[in-house]
Amino acid sequence: MTFFETAAGELLVGGVPLRRLAERVGQTPFYAYDRALLAARVAAVRAALPQGMGLHYAMKANPMPALVGFMRPLVDGLDVASAGEMAVALDAGADPQHISFAGPGKRDAELRQAVAAGVLLNLESPREVALLADASGALGVPARVAVRVNPDFELRGAGMRMGGGAKPFGVDAEQVPALLKAIGAAGLQFEGFHLYPGSQNLKGELMAQGLRQSYELLLRLGADAPAPVQQINLGGGWGIPYFPGEQPLDLAPVTDALADIQARMGRAMPQARAVLELGRYLVGEAGVYVARVLDRKLSRGQVFLVTDGGMHHHLAASGNFGQVIRRNYPLAIGNRMGAADTESASVVGPLCTPLDVLGERTALARAEPGDLVVVFQSGAYGPSASPQGFLGHPPCAEVLV
Amino acid sequence: MTFFETAAGELLVGGVPLRRLAERVGQTPFYAYDRALLAARVAAVRAALPQGMGLHYAMKANPMPALVGFMRPLVDGLDVASAGEMAVALDAGADPQHISFAGPGKRDAELRQAVAAGVLLNLESPREVALLADASGALGVPARVAVRVNPDFELRGAGMRMGGGAKPFGVDAEQVPALLKAIGAAGLQFEGFHLYPGSQNLKGELMAQGLRQSYELLLRLGADAPAPVQQINLGGGWGIPYFPGEQPLDLAPVTDALADIQARMGRAMPQARAVLELGRYLVGEAGVYVARVLDRKLSRGQVFLVTDGGMHHHLAASGNFGQVIRRNYPLAIGNRMGAADTESASVVGPLCTPLDVLGERTALARAEPGDLVVVFQSGAYGPSASPQGFLGHPPCAEVLV
């Protein structure tokens, strides 16, 4: 379940042996992201997408500025979820024309910042129309808007659903015609639609079905648009496997559906471009979290490897980020890859709480203090999604290799 | 389930009406902690404890410097979980003699810092003995140590157990005699024992039983101590009610047990003092989290109040801090207390994730944009235990009133 190579029993990140990388970083714990794996994943997605379909990077998955800067020229645009992320995207050199901003609760000031920046705003509420009209008037810049739609059907297969039924995200499909009228009346610059089905979807067939239904819905809604549709953002939510038994997403049905949509759009809306926004799928498997073993403790027959890292840096691996049941992320002792001498050990962090677990009774090379524990599948929703200040421990480092 | 008063339909924090407090803070979201409630809780605990028993504040529950500074003169000592917390405790003016430092994975540098500061270290592993002997030698200051014991019986009633069975916390009772010998041989300054049963315990009878067993165990272990026992830290873990159906902790059996222990200690170890370390119980009910309603959305019959605050500031209220099933913290519209016009609404934050929920279909005064949502029982494990950087939104403020 890992794309990282090893040499002489040591994990390589960006070609650098892990212990040397730790010395270069100058501290543990740290996250390391592998440029070659990031580029390879983008290239693989590009190759699978139909010609002409756009690929955006959803920064929320990993907003490290250096990583965003690396991804920016590889993709066609960046999706941001706050004015904070927007600032990182702009600093990374992204063209505002190709930045889109979504979020169910944009503050008034954020809406104005977005208009000033010239990015595309995914409207999620009638509230935003009047605020944007004011900002447009005050700034003399028409607000660029798309409508985020909450579909009138269930989207299945996602680990976390974000469309269908009653939702805080987007505008219910049946309310969209009235919103489109209001957008036209307010003189906002309408550019298209956005529909985000949910995240961490590993079921290709169900995702394909949702994409086809989404296209149908957006085509229908487009009839009421105050201006020609230029962009349809079909969202993302492509999952990656984390746990034993999970299979990688089967892309074939998804790319079939996308090819079909692309062909039909070419006929129905020749002026419009379809784009996907992917976050976790592009970066999640290209990153590791690395912590050092501080202590090896034996308590009543169970081995505990106590590390200097834990839930304060990697909340998701501790099982406290939306998971109902805690399961182990893939783990290894990064300087003892392929070791013959293995054992069952629990990996815990330095915090005074039983929540601070990175691995529970999992098979690992026999480790000693000083060894490096690696948590794979850690390129997305890592440090930015973790309570770094918890218990006053130092923050982790991040490095792009 | 709240200790806060209201006046003219508005919540008071430290006597200040909530809307005025929000103006004083200058932003939403914010946490506000009420000095009078903090002091009243400490006084109530003092009154319930037997004469002479020590009361420590476990800073991990809320390490806001101003709050630690307020608590410091009210209690007999501070418990810290990292060198970072130790620095806050020292800055607050705590006497190092009355600071104790626990943690299953203390870094080498932290151990040395603690020796330099002169605080009491709760040893959790044989590993720490040699490191502390080195630090003591280098600094010319004997390390003050207590032994944190993992008991040889099950401790029941805690929401999260931290003693009994195989645990990363403390040293198994059966390994303690050897550790005590090593402490004596290394010339460390032995001062006593620490036993922490677990956190968020609402079952007084079970807690009392655990306290009695703990005392018996520590008395027995004290026979092998290299120096007279001066302090027995019986831990804490006193819970507070969060959810419908939860009852406040019944203190009577607990204080009975403590009185008994205190009397017996007076005979068996007249030189020793028993102390309790409480975190959540002292501060949890004295704090609120306040967010402003940005939008009122209706999606397929369900009302969503979209606020400028959410899981990035208050992870526990979103149900992602050790909870298996998400339940609503007590909530109110703080500027419409006791309003007759109520409805069922969901309270969500600004983040693009379905995890960002503060209240799900809960009965609230009918709210409009600009109103202030209050999450009660938020004085412990708030901002420091939340992923403040998530999605690039601004951090919350904190204020002591």
Side-chain angles (χ1 to χ4, degrees):
Chain A
M1 203 193 265
T2 158
F3 295 88
F4 289 86
E5 296 187 350
T6 63
E10 194 153 355
L11 193 81
L12 303 177
V13 181
V16 182
L18 193 65
R19 282 178 296 188
R20 179 163 167 187
L21 181 60
E23 297 284 347
R24 170 184 141 184
V25 174
Q27 71 159 83
T28 52
F30 62 89
Y31 279 86
Y33 314 113
D34 187 312
R35 284 190 181 91
L37 291 179
L38 291 167
R41 177 54 61 93
V42 173
V45 172
R46 290 276 196 202
L49 291 185
Q51 187 72 26
M53 187 166 281
L55 175 63
H56 285 198
Y57 172 52
M59 270 182 58
K60 63 168 69 65
N62 189 327
M64 181 203 187
L67 183 141
V68 174
F70 179 77
M71 296 294 282
R72 200 262 309 150
L74 302 182
V75 296
D76 303 310
L78 297 176
D79 291 301
V80 303
S82 66
E85 286 192 359
M86 184 180 81
V88 175
L90 291 168
D91 285 346
D95 181 345
Q97 191 65 30
H98 303 301
I99 296 175
S100 60
F101 182 167
K106 307 182 196 80
R107 284 170 287 119
D108 297 17
E110 282 187 309
L111 289 165
R112 196 163 165 135
Q113 284 177 268
V115 174
V119 306
L120 180 66
L121 278 150
N122 291 317
L123 289 198
E124 313 218 11
S125 165
R127 157 192 172 247
E128 296 176 326
V129 174
L131 290 168
L132 289 174
D134 286 352
S136 296
L139 296 165
V141 179
R144 300 173 52 216
V145 301
V147 172
R148 180 171 179 179
V149 178
N150 179 24
D152 50 4
F153 51 85
E154 285 298 323
L155 287 154
R156 295 184 301 155
M160 290 190 283
R161 293 187 200 184
M162 294 172 70
K167 287 281 181 302
F169 308 107
V171 175
D172 293 353
E174 51 274 30
Q175 298 181 26
V176 168
L179 182 67
L180 291 169
K181 193 170 286 181
I183 287 170
L188 308 184
Q189 188 173 314
F190 173 83
E191 297 192 7
F193 292 105
H194 180 220
L195 196 158
Y196 195 89
S199 72
Q200 185 51 16
N201 193 329
L202 288 173
K203 303 197 170 114
E205 287 288 356
L206 295 176
M207 190 189 285
Q209 205 179 89
L211 284 166
R212 290 176 197 275
Q213 287 176 289
S214 298
Y215 173 72
E216 293 298 332
L217 172 62
L218 298 184
L219 185 68
R220 203 165 69 236
L221 293 173
D224 289 314
V229 173
Q230 294 173 46
Q231 182 175 298
I232 279 183
N233 182 332
L234 293 164
W238 299 19
I240 62 172
Y242 286 98
F243 307 116
E246 287 187 344
Q247 296 301 318
L249 175 64
D250 178 13
L251 283 187
V254 178
T255 53
D256 282 358
L258 291 172
D260 214 31
I261 289 168
Q262 181 78 350
R264 294 182 56 200
M265 269 185 70
R267 296 189 291 273
M269 295 185 269
Q271 77 292 347
R273 187 182 200 193
V275 305
L276 291 177
E277 57 172 72
L278 299 182
R280 187 197 311 263
Y281 193 79
L282 296 184
V283 301
E285 300 188 281
V288 289
Y289 174 63
V290 182
R292 195 176 293 278
V293 176
L294 290 175
D295 201 358
R296 176 188 170 84
K297 284 177 73 171
L298 191 68
S299 172
R300 295 175 185 141
Q302 192 177 338
V303 174
F304 290 92
L305 301 174
V306 184
T307 73
D308 58 3
M311 75 176 294
H312 53 313
H313 300 152
H314 202 331
L315 187 65
S318 82
N320 288 288
F321 195 67
Q323 298 98 327
V324 175
I325 298 168
R326 194 202 166 277
R327 291 182 289 179
N328 294 330
Y329 270 48
L331 289 168
I333 306 301
N335 55 313
R336 297 180 190 269
M337 302 298 290
D341 188 10
T342 64
E343 65 182 358
S344 168
S346 291
V347 181
V348 301
L351 308 185
C352 263
T353 164
L355 301 178
D356 193 16
V357 175
L358 294 175
E360 205 169 337
R361 295 172 195 256
T362 183
L364 289 172
R366 191 192 147 91
E368 296 294 338
D371 284 346
L372 297 171
V373 171
V374 173
V375 184
F376 293 101
Q377 309 296 85
S378 297
Y381 302 111
S384 70
S386 299
Q388 296 238 23
F390 196 36
L391 298 202
H393 286 271
C396 59
E398 285 186 281
V399 58
L400 188 64
V401 195
Chain B
M1 204 194 267
T2 158
F3 295 87
F4 289 86
E5 296 188 349
T6 62
E10 193 153 357
L11 193 79
L12 303 177
V13 182
V16 183
L18 193 65
R19 281 178 296 189
R20 178 162 169 189
L21 182 59
E23 296 284 345
R24 169 185 141 183
V25 174
Q27 71 160 84
T28 52
F30 62 90
Y31 279 86
Y33 314 114
D34 188 312
R35 283 190 182 92
L37 291 180
L38 292 167
R41 177 55 60 94
V42 173
V45 172
R46 289 276 196 200
L49 290 186
Q51 188 72 25
M53 187 166 282
L55 175 62
H56 285 197
Y57 172 51
M59 269 182 59
K60 63 167 71 65
N62 189 328
M64 182 203 187
L67 182 141
V68 174
F70 179 77
M71 296 294 281
R72 199 262 310 150
L74 302 182
V75 295
D76 304 308
L78 297 175
D79 291 301
V80 304
S82 65
E85 287 192 358
M86 184 180 80
V88 175
L90 291 168
D91 285 346
D95 181 344
Q97 191 64 29
H98 303 301
I99 296 176
S100 60
F101 182 167
K106 306 181 197 82
R107 284 169 288 118
D108 296 17
E110 281 185 309
L111 289 166
R112 196 164 164 134
Q113 285 177 268
V115 174
V119 307
L120 179 67
L121 278 150
N122 291 317
L123 289 199
E124 313 219 10
S125 163
R127 158 194 171 247
E128 296 175 327
V129 174
L131 290 167
L132 289 175
D134 286 353
S136 295
L139 296 165
V141 178
R144 300 173 53 217
V145 301
V147 172
R148 180 170 178 179
V149 178
N150 180 25
D152 51 3
F153 50 84
E154 286 299 323
L155 287 154
R156 296 183 301 156
M160 291 191 283
R161 291 188 203 184
M162 294 171 71
K167 288 282 181 303
F169 307 107
V171 175
D172 293 354
E174 52 274 30
Q175 297 181 26
V176 168
L179 182 67
L180 290 170
K181 195 170 288 180
I183 287 170
L188 308 183
Q189 187 173 312
F190 174 83
E191 298 191 7
F193 293 105
H194 180 220
L195 197 158
Y196 195 88
S199 71
Q200 183 51 15
N201 194 329
L202 287 173
K203 302 194 170 113
E205 286 288 356
L206 295 177
M207 190 188 285
Q209 205 178 89
L211 284 166
R212 290 175 196 274
Q213 287 176 288
S214 298
Y215 172 70
E216 293 299 332
L217 173 62
L218 299 183
L219 185 68
R220 204 164 69 236
L221 292 173
D224 289 315
V229 173
Q230 294 174 44
Q231 183 176 296
I232 279 185
N233 181 330
L234 291 164
W238 298 20
I240 63 173
Y242 286 99
F243 308 117
E246 286 187 342
Q247 296 302 318
L249 175 64
D250 177 13
L251 283 188
V254 178
T255 52
D256 282 356
L258 291 172
D260 214 30
I261 289 169
Q262 182 78 350
R264 294 183 55 200
M265 268 184 72
R267 295 187 293 271
M269 296 183 269
Q271 77 292 347
R273 186 182 199 191
V275 305
L276 291 176
E277 58 172 74
L278 300 181
R280 187 198 311 263
Y281 193 79
L282 296 185
V283 300
E285 300 188 279
V288 290
Y289 174 64
V290 182
R292 193 176 293 279
V293 177
L294 290 175
D295 201 358
R296 178 188 167 87
K297 284 177 72 170
L298 190 68
S299 173
R300 295 177 185 138
Q302 191 178 340
V303 174
F304 289 93
L305 302 174
V306 185
T307 74
D308 58 4
M311 75 178 291
H312 53 313
H313 299 153
H314 202 332
L315 187 65
S318 82
N320 288 288
F321 195 66
Q323 299 98 327
V324 175
I325 296 168
R326 194 202 166 280
R327 290 182 289 179
N328 294 331
Y329 270 46
L331 288 168
I333 306 301
N335 55 313
R336 297 179 189 270
M337 301 300 289
D341 188 11
T342 64
E343 66 182 356
S344 167
S346 291
V347 181
V348 300
L351 308 185
C352 264
T353 165
L355 300 179
D356 193 16
V357 175
L358 293 176
E360 205 169 338
R361 296 173 196 256
T362 185
L364 289 172
R366 191 192 148 92
E368 296 294 337
D371 284 346
L372 297 172
V373 171
V374 174
V375 184
F376 293 101
Q377 307 298 84
S378 297
Y381 303 111
S384 70
S386 298
Q388 296 237 21
F390 196 36
L391 300 199
H393 286 271
C396 58
E398 284 185 281
V399 58
L400 187 65
V401 194

